[in-house]
Amino acid sequence: MADVVFFEKPGCGGNARQKALLEQAGHRVIARDLLGEPWTPETLRPFFGDRPVADWFNRAAPAVKSGEVVPEAMDEASALAAMVERPLLIRRPLMQVGDRRDCGFETGRVDAWIGLDGVAAAGKIEGCLRPDMPPCPKP
């Protein structure tokens, strides 16, 4: 199975469920703090591949939810600059296996990439598990 470098927000319940799915499928998860990583546009950009810029964003981030940041109005350079400045804007998790990188946890996409070995995800697996609640506390 794969060694998965998994950039997460420590304490995030959604990221905890995603890591558990990967481990149940036999992968080794190497967790890293997404918020503490010294991101640059050059180190961050490869995680988004050919996804539209708006899909790079964490829709549960307070600045996105409040309308302060409008992902659909941003170009690549401004999105990367905003995310480097405020990593909470980055769609989680960021994952790396070997040279390949990706963002978010779409089970079909992850299964096609590294395999989930038939492990079924029950309920919501990506995004905030508590959309009606205030943002998770900072770790």
Side-chain angles (χ1 to χ4, degrees):
M1 289 300 173
D3 288 339
V4 182
V5 179
F6 188 95
F7 292 94
E8 66 175 334
K9 177 184 174 189
C12 172
N15 286 160
R17 290 186 65 211
Q18 295 158 353
K19 289 188 304 185
L21 275 177
L22 290 169
E23 289 168 345
Q24 288 171 17
H27 301 295
R28 184 170 79 112
V29 176
I30 304 157
R32 295 210 180 138
D33 182 353
L34 177 113
L35 304 179
E37 190 72 19
W39 296 111
T40 66
E42 295 77 23
T43 59
L44 188 56
R45 177 62 182 91
F47 287 95
F48 305 123
D50 61 358
R51 293 176 185 264
V53 171
D55 290 352
W56 301 359
F57 284 84
N58 170 12
R59 296 299 176 151
V64 174
K65 286 174 81 171
S66 72
E68 175 190 345
V69 172
V70 179
E72 291 76 14
M74 300 188 95
D75 63 17
E76 184 173 307
S78 62
L80 290 169
M83 291 175 178
V84 166
E85 183 179 330
R86 296 191 285 182
L88 194 56
L89 294 172
I90 301 168
R91 181 178 178 187
R92 301 188 304 266
L94 297 181
M95 295 183 290
Q96 179 175 352
V97 175
D99 291 336
R100 181 168 168 191
R101 295 166 177 84
D102 206 348
C103 73
F105 201 96
E106 299 164 30
T107 54
R109 189 173 172 118
V110 175
D111 189 34
W113 174 22
I114 58 174
L116 289 177
D117 200 30
V119 175
K124 190 173 181 181
I125 195 65
E126 186 176 26
C128 185
L129 297 175
R130 308 173 317 165
D132 57 328
M133 302 294 286
C136 296
K138 290 190 177 186

